[in-house]
């Protein structure tokens, strides 16, 4: 930067010297020219002082101030040269108004003030006194404050840089425009540098400022191009947990405002580090139920482990005497603990093999998302080994809980509509962690975990391969997730209810015909007083009853058996507008799928459909416009046959 600043200052200094020389040669207005000379000499001295301190000068305001100063000096040179005209006729026809000298003198004073301010905020010339506004920032005072704080970030001590970052946090939080100015004026690089090498308080402030600056796609793009991914990855791997909490939050903010940056974060292993934080003291706390063996697990032992632990306990005793089991007091572990046991056995997470050495780094492939994928014939899993942070177990419980909440929040935003990241997450222990955290954790952790599951399953709903590989009914982790989702739905937790309903709906194609426990809780929510809950329940049930679902007939019968028809009729007649559409659609699906149902005849669903056809506000939906007449005609056909038989 020193070379750039000296290059910028070369011409203004040269012009200032020319003004001084021309003022000495003036033939008219000599007194005014001497005043101009005095101010120009003072300005030239300040410019030379800036050139000597160029290593410590903040470039952005320097450019603005030097450009304005150069224009003023050019005007001064032009005016003074006119005063040096020789000959009577030249002086006669050279008209110089007196106001021109007053205006130029004021402009030189402003330039002196600007350059003096620039020196005051740079290097060793700074002090604790308020510097005031430079004349150049008179029309936009906030710009001066931003310059001052960014200059402190570049040249201040660690404490001064921390205070400056806190000031930028306040500015970015107050106004979106201020955030854009901070980015435009070069505030991101010194913030990233502070986040990388500052004291803990400075790192937190810097990370928080970066998260606040990324409020739109363009801003996030500039922040990513400045190298935020590598800096954040290093902090999530090696930094203090309090700083990591803020970094995880900042990642979630950047990803929320510019989804295209998701892959950049993934390529820097941030997904792996976040999953590691999520798993810390989540999976490990159940390690007493994990299977530990001296030999690599056989296919037969994996199959046994995937079965119900109580049914296969005797066979496991015969197969392997080295399997660690619960004590007598732990003979009946809860459901989540059994799932942890099965998942650990299947994925081989806690298998210690003396015959199989760890895979060296040279033999580890990296997926598109930057996740280390161990080479294996049967399946891949995302390894999160090597991400443990020394001493993090000694952090206070509140910080640990905050870290898990922010990790879940970041994963929620990173996996939105991103297949590769969702696949990386599901191949790791994250699904199991979400299930455990949903069962018993703080409100924030449970909430963000439910949102992350909602986004992952939304992607799985559109991708059959991901759905079959990660959410098949026999997968212990997937089963644990479903168990906890149904538990939340059964309890009616207001904060978690809607994301859990959506998640169950996203998984509609994964449930078997014998899986009847899912339909009942959703049907009960149709009778919910809150309209949004009833709407989401109806939308989720639509995904079970739609012909796109292979088991739509079985699921439609289950909805009828659970008493859903009566609730749907009430919602179609008297429900809010947002509830009427999904309720009517679901009623049409049921009528189309099982038109010979006795319950439909008893509840006079045909009359409901005929009424709906006459309602103008229900006829504008293209889905209902096609489905409603078909369901009505199909219902008429089967019910007329039924009446004919009687």
């Amino acid at each position: 930067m020193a070379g750039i600043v000296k290059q910028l200052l070369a011409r203004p200094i040269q012009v200032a010297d020319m003004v001084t020389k021309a003022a000495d040669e003036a033939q008219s207005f000599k007194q005014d020219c001497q005043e101009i000379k005095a101010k120009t000499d003072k300005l030239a001295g300040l410019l030379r002082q800036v050139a000597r301190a160029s290593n410590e000068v903040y470039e952005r305001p320097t450019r603005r101030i030097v450009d304005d100063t150069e224009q003023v000096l050019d005007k001064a040179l032009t005016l003074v040269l006119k005063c040096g005209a020789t000959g009577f006729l030249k002086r006669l026809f050279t008209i110089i108004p007196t106001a021109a000298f007053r205006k130029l003198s004021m402009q030189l004073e402003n330039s002196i003030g600007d350059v003096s301010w620039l020196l005051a905020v740079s290097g060793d010339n700074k002090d604790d006194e308020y510097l005031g506004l430079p004349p150049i920032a008179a029309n936009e005072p906030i710009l001066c404050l931003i310059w001052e704080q960014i200059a402190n970030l570049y040249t201040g001590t660690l404490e001064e840089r921390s205070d400056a970052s806190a000031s930028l946090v306040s500015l970015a939080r107050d106004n979106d425009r201020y955030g854009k100015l901070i980015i435009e004026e070069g505030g991101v690089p010194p913030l990233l540098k502070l986040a990388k090498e500052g004291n803990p308080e400075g790192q937190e402030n810097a990370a928080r400022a970066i998260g606040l600056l990324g409020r739109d796609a363009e801003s996030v793009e500039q922040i990513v191009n400045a190298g935020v991914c590598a800096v954040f990855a290093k902090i999530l791997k090696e930094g203090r947990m309090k700083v990591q909490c803020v970094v995880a939050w900042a990642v979630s903010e950047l990803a929320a405002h510019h989804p295209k940056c998701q892959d950049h974060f993934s390529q820097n292993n941030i997904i792996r580090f976040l999953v590691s934080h999520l798993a810390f003291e989540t999976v490990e706390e159940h390690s007493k139920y994990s299977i530990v063996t001296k030999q690599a697990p056989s296919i037969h032992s994996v199959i046994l482990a995937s079965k119900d632990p109580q049914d296969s306990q005797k066979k496991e005793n015969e197969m392997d005497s080295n399997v660690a089991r619960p004590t007598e007091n732990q003979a009946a572990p809860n459901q989540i603990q059994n799932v942890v046991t099965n998942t650990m056995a299947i994925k081989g997470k806690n298998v210690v093999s003396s015959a199989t050495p760890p895979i060296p780094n040279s033999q580890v492939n990296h997926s598109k998302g930057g996740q280390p994928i161990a080479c294996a014939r049967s399946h891949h899993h995302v390894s999160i080994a090597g991400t443990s942070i020394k001493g993090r177990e000694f952090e206070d419980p509140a910080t640990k809980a905050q870290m898990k909440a922010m990790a879940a929040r970041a994963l929620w935003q990173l996996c939105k509509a991103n297949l590769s990241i969702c696949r990386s997450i599901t191949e790791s222990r994250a699904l199991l962690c979400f299930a455990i955290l949903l069962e018993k954790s703080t409100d924030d952790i449970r909430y963000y975990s439910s949102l992350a599951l909602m986004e992952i399953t939304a992607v799985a709903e559109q991708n059959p391969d991901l759905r079959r590989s990660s959410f098949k009914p026999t997968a212990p982790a997937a089963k644990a997730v479903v168990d906890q989702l149904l538990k939340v739905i059964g309890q009616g937790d207001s904060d978690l209810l809607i994301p859990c309903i959506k998640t169950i709906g996203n998984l509609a194609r994964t449930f078997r015909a014998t899986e009847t426990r899912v339909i009942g809780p959703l049907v009960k929510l149709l009778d919910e007083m809150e309209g949004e809950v009833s709407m989401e329940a109806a939308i989720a049930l639509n995904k079970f009853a739609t012909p796109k679902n292979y088991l739509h007939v079985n699921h439609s019968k289950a909805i009828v058996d659970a008493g859903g028809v009566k609730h749907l009729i009430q919602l179609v007649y008297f429900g809010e507008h947002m509830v009427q559409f999904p309720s009517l659609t679901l009623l049409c699906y049921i009528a189309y799928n099982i038109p010979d149902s006795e319950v439909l005849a008893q509840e006079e669903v045909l009359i409901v459909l005929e009424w709906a056809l006459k309602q103008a506000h229900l006829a504008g939906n293209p889905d209902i416009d096609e489905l409603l007449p078909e369901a009505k005609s199909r219902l008429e056909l089967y019910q007329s046959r039924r009446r004919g038989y009687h």
Side-chain angles (χ1 to χ4, degrees):
M1 186 171 69
I4 297 175
V5 172
K6 288 181 179 179
Q7 185 177 358
L8 291 173
L9 292 169
R11 187 175 184 279
I13 293 174
Q14 182 181 8
V15 174
D17 292 340
M18 293 171 63
V19 171
T20 300
K21 183 178 179 181
D24 290 335
E25 298 174 354
Q27 300 297 320
S28 58
F29 300 99
K30 292 184 178 181
Q31 184 177 354
D32 293 325
C33 288
Q34 288 302 311
E35 292 180 3
I36 296 297
K37 175 188 174 183
K39 293 182 179 180
T40 302
D41 287 341
K42 183 177 180 180
L43 180 58
L46 292 172
L47 291 174
R48 288 186 170 89
Q49 192 174 348
V50 172
R52 290 193 296 270
S54 57
N55 289 326
E56 301 171 341
V57 174
Y58 171 30
E59 180 184 349
R60 185 74 182 190
T62 301
R63 286 183 177 276
R64 292 274 299 271
I65 290 173
V66 170
D67 286 344
D68 285 4
T69 300
E70 185 175 346
Q71 293 178 16
V72 171
L73 289 172
D74 284 337
K75 293 178 182 178
L77 180 61
T78 301
L79 183 61
V80 173
L81 287 175
K82 288 181 179 180
C83 297
T86 57
F88 175 76
L89 290 177
K90 285 186 178 182
R91 289 198 299 271
L92 180 64
F93 290 101
T94 302
I95 301 174
I96 304 176
T98 308
F101 286 99
R102 291 198 299 268
K103 182 179 180 180
L104 180 60
S105 178
M106 185 179 299
Q107 290 175 338
L108 287 171
E109 287 287 348
N110 289 340
S111 295
I112 291 171
D114 290 336
V115 179
S116 298
W117 176 88
L118 183 62
L119 284 169
V121 298
S122 303
D124 298 332
N125 293 320
K126 291 185 295 183
D127 52 38
D128 294 333
E129 296 181 1
Y130 176 63
L131 301 176
L133 290 177
I136 195 173
N139 295 329
E140 197 170 19
I142 199 67
L143 184 61
C144 166
L145 181 58
I146 290 174
W147 279 345
E148 186 175 334
Q149 302 308 323
I150 295 177
N152 286 336
L153 284 177
Y154 274 111
T155 62
T157 63
L158 286 179
E159 290 75 14
E160 291 171 340
R161 293 163 67 188
S162 177
D163 292 342
S165 62
S167 298
L168 293 179
V169 166
S170 179
L171 289 170
R173 184 184 286 122
D174 290 343
N175 192 297
D176 289 352
R177 182 173 173 274
Y178 296 167
K180 286 186 173 295
L181 280 175
I182 293 171
I183 295 175
E184 291 173 0
E185 300 303 322
V188 174
L191 282 172
L192 289 176
K193 186 177 181 182
L194 179 61
K196 187 176 181 180
E197 60 187 33
N199 55 33
E201 183 181 0
Q203 288 181 308
E204 287 185 49
N205 290 334
R208 188 173 290 108
I210 291 169
L212 291 170
L213 292 177
R215 292 187 175 180
D216 56 73
E218 182 182 357
S219 298
V220 175
E221 191 73 30
Q222 295 181 54
I223 293 171
V224 170
N225 291 338
V228 68
C229 298
V231 174
F232 279 4
K234 182 178 177 62
I235 294 173
L236 287 173
K237 181 180 180 181
E238 303 173 356
R240 294 195 178 188
M241 189 170 285
K242 288 186 177 181
V243 181
Q244 291 172 336
C245 291
V246 183
V247 166
W249 168 83
V251 169
S252 69
E253 288 292 302
L254 298 179
H257 292 104
H258 188 44
K260 289 184 178 180
C261 74
Q262 294 169 336
D263 290 331
H264 293 284
F265 285 118
S266 180
Q267 290 162 8
N268 283 270
N269 286 337
I270 283 181
I271 304 297
R272 182 161 64 101
F273 298 135
L274 291 172
V275 172
S276 173
H277 284 291
L278 205 66
F280 175 64
E281 292 186 352
T282 301
V283 174
E284 286 82 353
E285 66 186 3
H286 297 277
S287 60
K288 59 184 177 181
Y289 300 104
S290 63
I291 295 178
V292 182
T293 179
K294 293 182 179 180
Q295 297 179 354
S298 64
I299 297 296
H300 186 58
S301 65
V302 170
I303 294 174
L304 287 177
S306 65
K307 296 181 180 179
D308 188 83
Q310 296 178 355
D311 296 338
S312 60
Q313 185 172 3
K314 294 182 180 180
K315 294 182 180 180
E316 288 177 347
N317 288 334
E318 297 174 359
M319 291 295 297
D320 189 358
S321 60
N322 293 324
V323 176
R325 297 179 182 80
T327 62
E328 294 181 0
N329 294 332
Q330 302 159 351
N334 61 31
Q335 192 172 15
I336 281 292
Q337 292 165 343
N338 288 335
V339 171
V340 175
T341 303
N342 298 341
T343 304
M344 290 303 184
I346 291 175
K347 291 185 176 291
K349 296 290 185 182
N350 290 331
V351 175
V352 180
S353 174
S354 59
T356 306
I359 300 175
N361 293 333
S362 60
Q363 298 180 12
V364 175
N365 296 331
H366 291 268
S367 67
K368 181 180 179 181
Q371 305 295 336
I373 306 299
C375 300
R377 295 181 180 179
S378 58
H379 67 279
H380 298 103
H381 74 274
V382 177
S383 170
I384 58 174
T387 60
S388 61
I389 300 170
K390 185 177 180 180
R392 67 178 175 180
E393 62 272 12
F394 301 113
E395 293 283 352
D396 61 279
T399 303
K400 293 178 183 178
Q402 181 71 4
M403 184 68 246
K404 290 185 187 298
M406 292 301 101
R409 189 180 197 268
L411 290 172
W412 160 45
Q413 294 293 346
L414 287 169
C415 68
K416 280 186 177 180
N418 193 304
L419 177 60
S420 63
I421 291 179
C422 286
R423 182 176 287 116
S424 298
I425 292 174
T426 56
E427 288 173 349
S428 70
R429 294 181 286 181
L431 284 183
L432 183 60
C433 293
F434 288 137
I436 296 171
L437 295 173
L438 271 178
E439 183 189 28
K440 187 177 181 181
S441 191
T442 64
D443 292 342
D444 285 348
I445 297 175
R446 298 180 70 209
Y447 179 67
Y448 291 128
S449 296
S450 66
L451 291 176
L453 286 171
M454 180 184 71
E455 295 298 338
I456 294 170
T457 54
V459 175
E461 182 183 17
Q462 305 299 324
N463 188 271
D465 292 336
L466 179 62
R467 189 170 64 246
R468 296 189 191 103
S469 63
S470 301
F471 294 99
K472 55 186 177 182
T474 56
K479 186 175 183 297
V481 168
V482 173
D483 289 342
Q484 294 308 311
L485 293 173
L486 293 177
K487 185 177 179 181
V488 171
I489 291 174
Q491 293 172 346
D493 190 312
S494 59
D495 292 332
L496 306 181
L497 192 54
I498 289 177
C500 288
I501 294 171
K502 290 182 177 180
T503 303
I504 288 290
N506 295 337
L507 296 175
R509 295 191 190 185
T510 65
F511 296 110
R512 298 173 176 175
T514 56
E515 189 69 271
T516 57
R517 60 179 182 143
V518 179
I519 300 296
L522 291 175
V523 170
K524 288 182 180 179
L525 293 177
L526 294 174
D527 196 27
E528 177 70 31
M529 295 296 294
E530 190 174 345
E532 188 177 2
V533 174
S534 298
M535 178 189 69
E536 293 298 341
I539 292 173
L541 288 170
N542 270 298
K543 296 181 179 181
F544 284 88
T546 177
K548 296 178 181 179
N549 192 315
Y550 182 74
L551 299 173
H552 58 279
V553 174
N554 303 79
H555 294 318
S556 297
K557 291 179 180 179
I559 295 172
V560 172
D561 293 341
V565 174
K566 184 177 296 185
H567 297 316
L568 290 172
I569 291 174
Q570 293 293 320
L571 292 174
V572 171
Y573 277 139
F574 308 112
E576 299 178 34
H577 188 67
M578 65 178 180
V579 185
Q580 282 184 307
F581 280 106
S583 300
L584 180 58
T585 304
L586 180 56
L587 199 60
C588 290
Y589 279 144
I590 294 173
Y592 186 86
N593 294 336
I594 49 173
D596 56 344
S597 171
E598 185 67 30
V599 176
L600 298 182
Q602 292 176 356
E603 298 292 341
E604 298 181 337
V605 173
L606 182 58
I607 296 177
V608 179
L609 299 185
E610 290 175 347
W611 174 85
L613 277 171
K614 300 175 183 178
Q615 306 305 310
H617 69 283
L618 294 176
N621 191 305
D623 297 331
I624 294 179
D625 286 345
E626 296 180 3
L627 180 60
L628 183 55
E630 294 180 5
K632 175 179 172 294
S633 62
R634 192 171 175 84
L635 199 59
E636 286 176 336
L637 176 63
Y638 278 85
Q639 291 193 4
S640 63
R641 287 180 180 179
R642 185 182 296 275
R643 287 194 294 269
Y645 292 148
H646 290 296

